[in-house]
Amino acid sequence: MYYIGGVQVQFPFKPYPSQLGMMNHMIRALNKAQNTMIESPTGSGKSLALLCATLAWKRSHAMKQKQLLANISQIIRKFCKHNKSLIVARYAENWDSAGSAAVEAVGIDSVSGSDIKTKTENGSVDKSKAETVDKSTVVAADKLETSTADHKDSTPEACNAIQKLDGAEKPMTGTSAAFQISKKELVKSSSTPPATVLQERALISRTETVDYILDLAKSKTPDGLTDEDIAILTSYKEAGESVGHKPRIYFGTRTHKQVAQLVDELRRKTPYRLRTAVLGSRAQTCIHNRASKASKNGESVDDACRALLDEDRCAPFQSFRRLIGNKKLSAGGELEIWDLEDIVRLGKAQFACPYYAGREMAETAELVFCPYNYILDPGVREAAGIKLEDNVVILDEAHNIENAARDAGSFEITDQQLSLLAYDCSGMVDVRILIVEHRLVMVLAETLQNWLQGEEIEYEYRDYETQTSVWPKPNVSVDDLLRSLALSSEVIHRLEAAYKAIEAHIKEVRTQKERLNSTPHISSASQRLIEGLLRVLRHVGSDTRFSRDYRIAAIRYPNPELRDTHKRKRHSAVVQPFINTMCFWTMNSGVVFAEIASKARSIVLTSGTLSPLESYASELQIDFGSTLEANHVIDPKRFFAMSVECGPSGTPLEAKYKTTNLLQFQDDMGVAVAEIASKCPDGMLVFAPSYALLGKLSARWEATGHLAAIQEHKEVFFEPQGGSKDDFNDLLNRYRKHLQRDNDVGKPAQRGAVFFAVYRGKASEGIDFTDYYCRTVVNIGIPYPAFKDVKVVLKREYNDSRSYTTAVDGGALQSSPKQQPLLNGSKWYDIQAFRAINQALGRCLRHKNDWGAIIMLESRFTYPWNIARLSKWVRGHMLIYKSFNDAKHDLNAFYDFRIKEDFVSEEATEDNASVVDLTLN
Ligand code: SF4
């Protein structure tokens, strides 16, 4: 147990200083309800440290809240005791209008916990009346709920008073029964409220009474209270509605594999036990015999599932709640903290759907794990039932969050999808269901489809086959384009209203008992398309905060089915010559983050490679109250970082497009890599900026014999471009297998292995190359994003228009005063490249006792401004060499030293082992 930031944290190991720093930083940020960024190198035990700190804070926060509520009750009682006349005058005066009258008017039958239902005479919920309910009644319910959960905060008097009000003849049983308030009795007692009842009323009307006392305190501290009491009441008032709320923790990571690792660590290594849920995709959790195998037929599991549900044909869905009630998953059960694999196993055994069970469990869980797009994507977030209000959002491995957020705020739709949407809606018109509404959507889909397939769009070729057209253009704004497509603000509003009616219809049909005979409705796929379109049109089509942050593009490329003669024969229907796509791209990650930040209590971004941190604050358009760059846990003696200006024969190692075509460059690079491979023990990673460059180098090296020189010392593996995840994993396993040591002997493999990969590729992120799986990372070039990529071009232009300089000159920012200025386009472009490099560097050195070399075969890393863009743990240790031959000498000395150290420590381990063995004998 460690006392960090005023909170008791249970941590399974003695924390490193950097972990202590992170936990302290995290707890402080959560206490202040701040957003924060924490950069800490991979392998520094960041995720577990942050999770433990968060759970410890959650517990401590709940206790503080409980204490605060108890203190408030006590202060109110004190106030009532010493100011009887005031309290009687106040509540007797308001009793009729604010108390009984409101209760009478809205027809409350009873109030129990937070389950307040406001009903009209015919029994339906009347929201307008609900909003006029006396605040005190709501607060009373809050009080009751708190009391139910926490008897320390409820007094016997309060319970008795409420029981008296209820006038129950029979003794009440159970906590909820004890807090039933009868309308009749409330009204009866309204005419002559006794002082004691009014005092209790003051206690129950907590917020109102606190306001009243604080008002009185403006002129004089009320009798019986102290300045400290007033300070407590003030802090309660300032905390507003969040008092009493128990923040849920959403922990988002990049992939499900990382979720699984964290859940495993939480379960095995920590004592924290709380209601936990894991959100995964249907592809990971579906147990339906056919739907789960949909991908084998080229379909998505999502669509297969939705189709089954539309027709009410999934038996595991009918029984998913059975899974929720399973004892193994409840408090104290063996799977109290479960992972997707656990729930899928259990779902199979019970023939109950794990996907829907997991979603429902997440609604009441205290800790929810999910891939981070579940939080970023508004559509997925809503479908998954994620509620951000006043909760904590942690996004781990958040180095790509800026791009992921832009993707989540964007939307693309093809002409084929538009055609299906129009067809679906016309079916509804034919059967005369919500005719106006479905027709409106149908006309929209047809209009967009005709426009995409027509000849009006002036395309330009951006690459060999793809034609693109982007708005705004010099003489056509986005508004002009939308108007030409009849998408005025008014039409978009009508579409919103139409979709609401369609959505309500679908919901109603889905809840009908006799599903098989139910009324028709549009498919789930069509529903998703309308939602996606409206989500972007809401921003693009009206003068909103983000209306200037979108670009619209039309993209046309040849239909791949045309090349597939087999498919063409199979589908006798005419195959369209082109695929046409309409794209709504946001250039601003803030479109997504502004909404998250407005709801969540705190957003925490963590990664090994966030720097430069300030660019995140501007790109995401949210305020980060604090940031932390933690140190690496690895002793600098355990790694060797160097950059080299020239190759073995003196060729400058500058991997720009032109120079990489020079044979001299390719040959010198080949010699350098072969020399490093000859000395580096075990595994080695080489990263290049593109598959094209990797291909160029390998072809040349094969011809010159450099590849054979590398193969003399290492088995060679190349990361393939494209291909399936399974194929990649297979390749990676072969690499690992080759390096695996014989456990009995502990000797390295005869030859090591080298894995050639690309930055931003599969090998560069999220994969551990611990210990002998990687003793050296060689970096070739600087991986700038594709310069001519249309999205990159647009983003650079956009940042220029919103950069600090433009803001000062009174540029585009004048129309968006709420938005922060951005880094200019070229700075943004640079940062993308350096983040990718920092990610690749982090593949090696995964724990405190790991060791390795970081080698930049790139002359631009001899410049201090480029070194400054590397992660903190590397930048201070980078040695610069003019020639490869000088560098080689020091590098070899490092390898020799580490190999010797390894040998000594292995011997020591063996000696210790034999001592233990002897003792045991
Ligand atoms: S409801 Fe569940 S089991 Fe049924 S198809 Fe969908 S994901 Fe699969």
Side-chain angles (χ1 to χ4, degrees):
M1 177 91 74
Y2 298 87
Y3 212 67
I4 304 168
V7 168
Q8 285 184 337
V9 182
Q10 291 175 294
F11 195 64
F13 320 104
K14 185 168 183 252
Y16 302 129
S18 62
Q19 285 175 321
L20 280 173
M22 278 190 276
M23 289 195 266
N24 187 35
H25 182 90
M26 183 78 163
I27 289 167
R28 280 169 190 276
L30 294 177
N31 270 335
K32 292 181 192 164
Q34 275 180 342
N35 301 323
T36 189
M37 274 184 280
I38 300 176
E39 185 186 57
S40 180
T42 41
S44 57
K46 158 180 53 73
S47 304
L48 188 63
L50 293 179
L51 191 55
C52 287
T54 308
L55 298 183
W57 169 83
K58 183 173 161 53
R59 195 141 78 182
S60 141
H61 179 74
M63 279 158 59
K64 279 186 196 161
Q65 295 286 297
K66 213 186 238 185
Q67 190 56 51
L68 176 62
L69 290 175
N71 289 346
I72 298 294
S73 301
Q74 220 169 29
I75 295 169
I76 291 176
R77 272 188 220 109
K78 261 201 291 180
F79 174 78
C80 292
K81 196 174 153 197
H82 292 88
N83 301 275
K84 273 182 192 157
S85 55
L86 282 178
I87 203 77
V88 168
R90 175 170 176 74
Y91 288 110
E93 182 189 311
N94 295 334
W95 185 246
D96 280 347
S97 56
S100 60
V103 171
E104 172 97 82
V106 296
I108 294 176
D109 292 330
S110 66
V111 179
S112 173
S114 61
D115 187 23
I116 296 179
K117 296 264 190 318
T118 307
K119 294 175 189 166
T120 56
E121 275 178 6
N122 65 12
S124 65
V125 174
D126 184 337
K127 198 161 177 287
S128 62
K129 281 189 177 176
E131 278 160 6
T132 64
V133 169
D134 176 22
K135 195 180 169 192
S136 65
T137 312
V138 178
V139 174
D142 284 347
K143 166 76 183 170
L144 299 179
E145 186 179 40
T146 311
S147 305
T148 311
D150 171 23
H151 288 280
K152 277 186 191 166
D153 194 34
S154 68
T155 60
E157 299 91 312
C159 299
N160 290 339
I162 294 158
Q163 283 188 353
K164 254 188 253 161
L165 282 170
D166 193 78
E169 283 174 14
K170 288 180 199 159
M172 293 187 137
T173 54
T175 46
S176 60
F179 298 122
Q180 300 278 314
I181 302 173
S182 139
K183 178 191 85 179
K184 198 174 79 194
E185 291 303 322
L186 272 172
V187 175
K188 197 167 73 182
S189 69
S190 70
S191 52
T192 51
T196 48
V197 170
L198 291 172
Q199 283 174 26
E200 290 307 335
R201 166 85 195 274
L203 191 64
I204 295 167
S205 315
R206 200 168 47 214
T207 311
E208 196 180 290
T209 312
V210 168
D211 284 349
Y212 176 58
I213 299 173
L214 288 177
D215 249 11
L216 292 174
K218 280 180 193 162
S219 47
K220 178 181 166 276
T221 306
D223 291 347
L225 301 192
T226 63
D227 289 349
E228 201 188 330
D229 292 334
I230 299 300
I232 293 172
L233 295 182
T234 309
S235 72
Y236 168 81
K237 187 177 162 66
E238 280 169 4
E241 289 176 5
S242 67
V243 175
H245 170 71
K246 294 178 182 167
R248 180 177 298 158
I249 314 294
Y250 286 105
F251 202 109
T253 67
R254 209 170 55 85
T255 61
H256 183 73
K257 198 171 155 223
Q258 287 158 331
V259 171
Q261 277 169 2
L262 257 176
V263 170
D264 183 53
E265 290 197 330
L266 183 67
R267 187 162 47 190
R268 281 191 306 109
K269 298 179 182 168
T270 79
Y272 291 105
R273 292 293 174 267
L274 66 171
R275 280 198 311 282
T276 305
V278 183
L279 292 172
S281 63
R282 287 183 179 89
Q284 291 163 314
T285 51
C286 179
I287 58 162
H288 187 277
N289 205 13
R290 196 156 48 76
S292 62
K293 297 184 185 93
S295 56
K296 285 189 182 156
N297 308 323
E299 286 175 59
S300 86
V301 181
D302 284 344
D303 287 345
C305 166
R306 287 188 188 107
L308 281 172
L309 294 187
D310 283 345
E311 293 164 22
D312 204 14
R313 285 196 293 118
C314 178
F317 175 77
Q318 310 293 348
S319 48
F320 77 84
R321 289 207 171 82
R322 200 189 303 155
L323 202 52
I324 298 170
N326 191 293
K327 275 191 186 150
K328 286 186 182 173
L329 296 166
S330 45
E334 70 184 80
L335 294 175
E336 187 174 3
I337 294 180
W338 52 268
D339 185 26
L340 284 184
E341 282 179 13
D342 299 318
I343 200 165
V344 170
R345 221 177 305 119
L346 210 57
K348 279 182 182 162
Q350 298 213 331
F351 201 55
C353 173
Y355 175 77
Y356 281 99
R359 276 176 186 230
E360 192 145 312
M361 289 165 89
E363 284 174 19
T364 53
E366 297 168 89
L367 172 64
V368 179
F369 291 102
C370 57
Y372 60 50
N373 72 312
Y374 279 56
I375 295 169
L376 297 184
D377 189 314
V380 180
R381 192 165 69 223
E382 202 184 315
I386 291 177
K387 305 263 182 301
L388 299 175
E389 286 76 3
D390 235 350
N391 291 325
V392 173
V393 173
I394 302 173
L395 300 173
D396 199 16
E397 300 299 331
H399 44 273
N400 288 331
I401 212 85
E402 183 203 316
N403 296 335
R406 277 204 307 281
D407 286 348
S410 302
F411 181 72
E412 297 183 359
I413 189 165
T414 65
D415 51 353
Q416 292 173 345
Q417 288 171 317
L418 285 164
S419 158
L420 286 175
L421 176 59
Y423 178 76
D424 216 355
C425 289
S426 77
M428 293 298 110
V429 175
D430 289 348
V431 291
R432 309 194 66 75
I433 292 173
L434 294 174
I435 299 172
V436 176
E437 289 79 0
H438 283 112
R439 185 173 283 145
L440 195 62
V441 178
M442 181 186 81
V443 169
L444 166 74
E446 285 174 349
T447 308
L448 298 183
Q449 185 194 353
N450 291 339
W451 173 71
L452 277 174
Q453 292 176 342
E455 299 302 320
E456 278 171 37
I457 302 171
E458 288 175 14
Y459 286 107
E460 44 180 297
Y461 277 96
R462 292 263 179 173
D463 67 32
Y464 175 54
E465 285 188 319
T466 309
Q467 302 173 63
T468 310
S469 193
V470 178
W471 290 263
K473 296 179 185 298
N475 48 359
V476 190
S477 69
V478 166
D479 282 349
D480 294 339
L481 172 68
L482 292 178
R483 264 198 301 277
S484 73
L485 295 168
L487 274 170
S488 62
S489 299
E490 197 214 317
V491 172
I492 293 169
H493 284 133
R494 281 175 51 207
L495 278 164
E496 297 249 24
Y499 177 60
K500 262 190 197 152
I502 293 172
E503 192 186 26
H505 166 72
I506 295 170
K507 263 190 195 151
E508 200 185 315
V509 171
R510 281 187 180 147
T511 48
Q512 282 172 11
K513 283 192 182 147
E514 285 303 317
R515 296 273 306 275
L516 285 173
N517 299 322
S518 65
T519 327
H521 58 80
I522 58 166
S523 70
S524 306
S526 292
Q527 197 184 352
R528 280 203 323 281
L529 291 176
I530 309 174
E531 276 170 3
L533 258 175
L534 284 175
R535 209 171 51 240
V536 285
L537 286 176
R538 239 166 253 153
H539 293 302
V540 185
S542 48
D543 194 16
T544 61
R545 179 178 170 191
F546 297 116
S547 57
R548 288 163 188 268
D549 299 330
Y550 275 85
R551 303 290 177 266
I552 294 182
I555 295 181
R556 173 173 285 182
Y557 59 87
N559 190 342
E561 280 193 24
L562 277 180
R563 288 191 208 121
D564 190 335
T565 41
H566 178 64
K567 260 193 188 172
R568 252 173 38 215
K569 274 183 196 160
R570 225 162 12 118
H571 303 293
S572 49
V574 182
V575 178
Q576 292 292 332
F578 294 104
I579 301 285
N580 299 289
T581 309
M582 185 175 193
C583 312
F584 298 84
W585 291 327
T586 176
M587 300 290 112
N588 182 0
S589 318
V591 170
V592 162
F593 263 92
E595 194 191 342
I596 299 175
S598 70
K599 292 179 177 170
R601 175 190 171 92
S602 293
I603 301 173
V604 182
L605 302 186
T606 79
S607 171
T609 48
L610 288 175
S611 344
L613 303 184
E614 61 284 3
S615 82
Y616 263 96
S618 60
E619 281 294 329
L620 304 185
Q621 299 280 296
I622 56 175
D623 290 328
F624 287 94
S626 60
T627 58
L628 174 76
E629 279 184 89
N631 286 319
H632 210 309
V633 294
I634 290 179
D635 183 342
K637 280 194 209 128
R638 303 189 78 86
F639 70 94
F640 182 82
M642 67 174 199
S643 60
V644 185
E645 193 175 333
C646 298
S649 69
T651 312
L653 296 177
E654 189 179 27
K656 285 187 172 174
Y657 182 72
K658 275 187 187 163
T659 43
T660 53
N661 284 331
L662 301 174
L663 298 182
Q664 231 177 344
F665 170 89
Q666 295 172 6
D667 293 349
D668 241 18
M669 194 58 88
V671 177
V673 173
E675 296 240 14
I676 297 167
S678 73
K679 199 69 190 170
C680 167
D682 301 310
M684 170 173 157
L685 297 175
V686 179
F687 287 101
S690 65
Y691 291 105
L693 179 57
L694 267 191
K696 222 183 286 182
L697 291 176
S698 69
R700 174 69 184 169
W701 294 348
E702 203 161 351
T704 56
H706 292 120
L707 194 62
I710 297 169
Q711 280 166 332
E712 242 181 71
H713 306 281
K714 303 262 182 248
E715 187 76 17
V716 172
F717 298 83
F718 279 95
E719 180 180 348
Q721 182 168 14
S724 72
K725 213 165 147 189
D726 289 346
D727 290 345
F728 175 78
N729 286 339
D730 195 42
L731 184 75
L732 199 64
N733 284 339
R734 281 193 281 129
Y735 169 81
R736 286 199 161 125
K737 206 162 181 188
H738 184 81
L739 291 166
Q740 251 160 25
R741 295 176 173 197
D742 180 334
N743 283 338
D744 296 333
V745 186
K747 279 191 186 149
Q750 284 285 307
R751 280 189 317 159
V754 57
F755 198 106
F756 287 91
V758 295
Y759 298 106
R760 299 190 192 88
K762 293 190 185 84
S764 71
E765 290 189 30
I767 295 177
D768 274 5
F769 289 92
T770 316
D771 296 329
Y772 50 81
Y773 291 118
C774 177
R775 290 300 185 198
T776 301
V777 177
V778 174
N779 298 277
I780 299 173
I782 301 181
Y784 290 104
F787 193 75
K788 289 186 179 169
D789 181 284
V790 62
K791 280 193 192 172
V792 173
V793 173
L794 292 173
K795 175 66 180 156
R796 289 184 62 163
E797 287 170 2
Y798 171 81
N799 273 43
D800 281 339
S801 74
R802 286 205 36 212
S803 70
Y804 292 93
T805 22
T806 325
V808 171
D809 294 346
L813 279 173
Q814 277 192 341
S815 59
S816 310
K818 282 188 189 163
Q819 297 188 343
Q820 297 174 24
L822 301 174
L823 295 178
N824 69 33
S826 64
K827 279 192 182 146
W828 171 85
Y829 186 67
D830 278 358
I831 284 169
Q832 309 309 305
F834 285 87
R835 284 219 178 101
I837 290 179
N838 286 329
Q839 263 302 306
L841 298 185
R843 297 312 91 210
C844 171
L845 300 161
R846 308 293 299 181
H847 59 89
K848 188 171 160 260
N849 297 319
D850 208 347
W851 66 266
I854 305 284
I855 302 173
M856 318 300 286
L857 292 183
E858 169 58 58
S859 64
R860 285 169 285 176
F861 276 104
T862 57
Y863 309 147
W865 54 90
N866 282 337
I867 294 174
R869 288 161 168 171
L870 296 177
S871 291
K872 187 182 170 189
W873 64 275
V874 191
R875 71 175 94 113
H877 302 278
M878 185 66 78
L879 299 174
I880 299 166
Y881 293 90
K882 199 122 191 92
S883 84
F884 180 80
N885 296 329
D886 295 344
K888 194 173 72 178
H889 175 266
D890 291 356
L891 178 67
N892 290 348
F894 170 76
Y895 286 139
D896 290 342
F897 170 70
R898 289 297 355 152
I899 290 166
K900 204 168 128 199
E901 287 281 302
D902 262 7
F903 181 70
V904 171
S905 67
E906 268 167 28
E907 273 202 333
T909 314
E910 274 169 28
D911 285 352
N912 287 340
S914 48
V915 170
V916 172
D917 284 344
L918 283 171
T919 317
L920 285 172
N921 286 332

